Amino acid sequence: MRFPRCSRALLVASSLLAASSFVPVIGSSLITVAHAEDQLSAKVGKPLQDAQTALGAKNYAKAMSAVNTADAVPGKTDYEKYTIAQMRAAVAASSGDVAAASKAYDVLIASPRTPAAAKQQMLMANATMAYNAKDYAQAVPAIERYLKIAGPNPQMQTLLVQSYYLQQDYKNAARVQQDQINAEIKAKHVPAENQLQFLATCYHQMKDSANETHAYVLLAKYYSKPDYWAMLIHNLAADPQMPDALTFNLERLRMATGVLKEPSDYMDMVERAVQGGLPQLGLNLMNQAYASGALGKDAGAAREARLKAMVVKRAAETKASLTADAEAARKLPNAAPSLTAGYNLVLDGQVDAGLALMREGLAKKPVAPEGAKLQYGMAQMDGGRKDDAIKTFADVHGDHGAQDLAQLWTLLISKPSK
């Protein structure tokens, strides 16, 4: 009794989370590399037919028993061993026996009889099967093996991220998700919102506030929603390593996005501007707060008025000494005086001269270079040079606030928050 040359493996990956099945059907067309001697003997072919019939009836125990009977036949040809592995994979996958199916797939994948495209399908089936069985420890290497051979695949990369996450391996989940997002950005595509949300969740689980904040920066950049702004600003403020010098910038960001609410917060922001040597900027912000009704209409109106009077006086004094301050700053070796005096010139309307002096300050190697670049970008923005400010913000790097604040100001300049 002879049987046809080869059975075809019908590999079905029905969806990202659905089980995959690899079902050989005796007598159908080829997907393997056929040879003239590719025939099944009766001793092997008959139990395999029985296995296929039992598989169709979903009698997996009987089907696997028949496969084992065929496998026990001595002196099998290479083709017979291959066909038995096909049927074993089909039965094991259908019954949910991940370990047995994985071993059978390994035999098929290693065989030169299996075409390259079919090997990739088998690798995918092996990986998704382990994932669907919640065997995440097995799913991770299987997915990584598929990606190494087949190349990037968004669905499989998502499964890999989830497999790490469901094992509470948040570090690797974040790594894989970040790589996927970086590739999207590099290709000038907008990362999927759920990818960015998932990245933020991974970093939250790791208690990595700096990287969680950066994930929310991307969410605010690509999907400008009030919830993202609120969470982002909250995380920036909660970073204990944020330099105190950046707090004023953060308060300005709160004001610009409508998050700054309490009169006391406005007062604190103005006081920080004065302490930083920029009373005119403090006065400008205070005037905006009065115009919006945030100040001057509460129980602290009298105190607010006293603060404003003081700020007006300090701003006038600074204006009167602008030229002298600029000349003195140029002679000093440290950067801060040139940056502050230059910013004050910008606020006085002398934008070109002020920015030139600030560039001199940047050349003096500021103690906090990224913060200094951020300040220069803010001066460009306040001086009406928004396109230049965006270029400067793009060059701001570093952790604990500077880069994230720069990106957020870029977003506000190019696409104001609603």
Side-chain angles (χ1 to χ4, degrees):
M1 181 177 182
R2 293 285 183 182
F3 290 82
R5 281 187 176 181
C6 183
S7 59
R8 181 181 182 182
L10 302 178
L11 185 62
V12 180
S14 59
S15 71
L16 184 63
L17 299 179
S20 299
S21 58
F22 177 58
V23 183
V25 180
I26 292 180
S28 59
S29 59
L30 300 174
I31 66 161
T32 60
V33 179
H35 303 281
E37 67 277 11
D38 283 351
Q39 292 183 335
L40 299 177
S41 66
K43 290 183 178 180
V44 172
K46 181 60 171 64
L48 287 183
Q49 275 195 328
D50 293 342
Q52 185 167 294
T53 300
L55 178 60
K58 298 184 179 181
N59 189 339
Y60 304 124
K62 183 177 181 180
M64 189 58 78
S65 177
V67 172
N68 290 336
T69 298
D71 203 11
V73 173
K76 295 184 295 295
T77 65
D78 178 67
Y79 171 67
E80 288 175 327
K81 293 176 183 177
Y82 184 86
T83 307
I84 289 169
Q86 286 183 307
M87 184 59 76
R88 187 180 296 281
V91 175
S94 298
S95 65
D97 188 342
V98 176
S102 181
K103 289 181 180 179
Y105 279 132
D106 284 343
V107 172
L108 299 173
I109 292 167
S111 174
R113 291 178 173 273
T114 305
K119 287 184 180 183
Q120 291 186 16
Q121 288 182 316
M122 291 175 188
L123 287 165
M124 178 183 285
N126 196 16
T128 55
M129 178 179 57
Y131 179 86
N132 294 334
K134 300 182 179 181
D135 187 352
Y136 305 120
Q138 176 68 27
V140 164
I143 297 170
E144 289 180 333
R145 183 183 179 190
Y146 168 82
L147 293 172
K148 182 177 180 179
I149 293 174
N153 179 298
Q155 290 183 331
M156 297 304 289
Q157 287 170 309
T158 297
L159 284 190
L160 181 58
V161 172
Q162 292 174 347
S163 295
Y164 276 126
Y165 185 87
L166 292 169
Q167 294 182 86
Q168 299 183 358
D169 186 349
Y170 305 122
K171 182 177 180 180
N172 276 313
R175 173 183 60 79
V176 176
Q177 188 67 90
Q178 186 71 70
D179 287 346
Q180 194 173 7
I181 290 169
N182 290 345
E184 290 290 329
I185 294 174
K186 185 177 181 180
K188 300 187 183 304
H189 298 154
V190 175
E193 186 174 7
N194 62 351
Q195 290 180 339
L196 295 170
Q197 290 172 332
F198 196 85
L199 182 64
T201 299
C202 289
Y203 286 129
H204 180 77
Q205 293 286 2
M206 295 164 64
K207 295 181 171 56
D208 185 342
S209 59
N211 278 313
E212 182 184 2
T213 295
H214 186 62
Y216 276 106
V217 168
L218 294 176
L219 280 164
K221 180 177 181 179
Y222 294 110
Y223 303 93
S224 187
K225 296 180 179 179
D227 287 348
Y228 296 148
W229 283 106
M231 182 62 74
L232 178 57
I233 292 172
H234 169 77
N235 285 351
L236 277 169
D239 185 354
Q241 298 185 62
M242 174 181 280
D244 187 64
L246 293 181
T247 302
F248 171 63
N249 191 293
L250 179 61
E251 289 176 336
R252 286 196 65 180
L253 179 63
R254 282 174 165 162
M255 181 176 177
T257 56
V259 176
L260 197 67
K261 301 292 185 183
E262 298 299 323
S264 59
D265 293 333
Y266 281 92
M267 299 279 279
D268 180 74
M269 176 181 63
V270 172
E271 289 171 354
R272 285 180 182 276
V274 175
Q275 292 166 4
L278 302 171
Q280 184 60 54
L281 180 54
L283 181 58
N284 293 347
L285 296 172
M286 201 169 196
N287 287 337
Q288 292 175 32
Y290 270 101
S292 68
L295 292 180
K297 296 183 178 181
D298 63 311
R303 178 175 176 271
E304 293 157 9
R306 290 193 298 272
L307 176 63
K308 183 174 182 180
M310 183 273 286
V311 176
V312 168
K313 181 181 178 182
R314 292 286 295 274
E317 293 171 350
T318 300
K319 180 179 178 66
S321 64
L322 281 175
T323 302
D325 290 344
E327 290 177 357
R330 287 192 177 94
K331 297 175 183 177
L332 295 172
N334 50 323
S338 294
L339 292 169
T340 301
Y343 206 150
N344 279 321
L345 286 171
V346 171
L347 295 168
D348 188 55
Q350 302 179 57
V351 179
D352 290 334
L355 293 177
L357 182 55
M358 292 188 77
R359 287 194 294 273
E360 290 181 30
L362 291 174
K364 294 178 181 180
K365 298 182 179 180
V367 174
E370 302 306 321
K373 283 191 288 186
L374 177 62
Q375 185 182 31
Y376 179 66
M378 296 298 291
Q380 290 174 308
M381 183 184 76
D382 290 334
R385 309 288 174 83
K386 292 185 177 181
D387 291 341
D388 292 337
I390 289 173
K391 293 178 182 177
T392 298
F393 289 148
D395 191 41
V396 176
H397 306 288
D399 298 328
H400 307 302
Q403 181 179 25
D404 292 331
L405 285 166
Q407 289 188 8
L408 289 176
W409 282 113
T410 298
L411 177 58
L412 289 173
I413 292 173
S414 59
K415 187 174 64 175
S417 180
K418 297 181 180 178

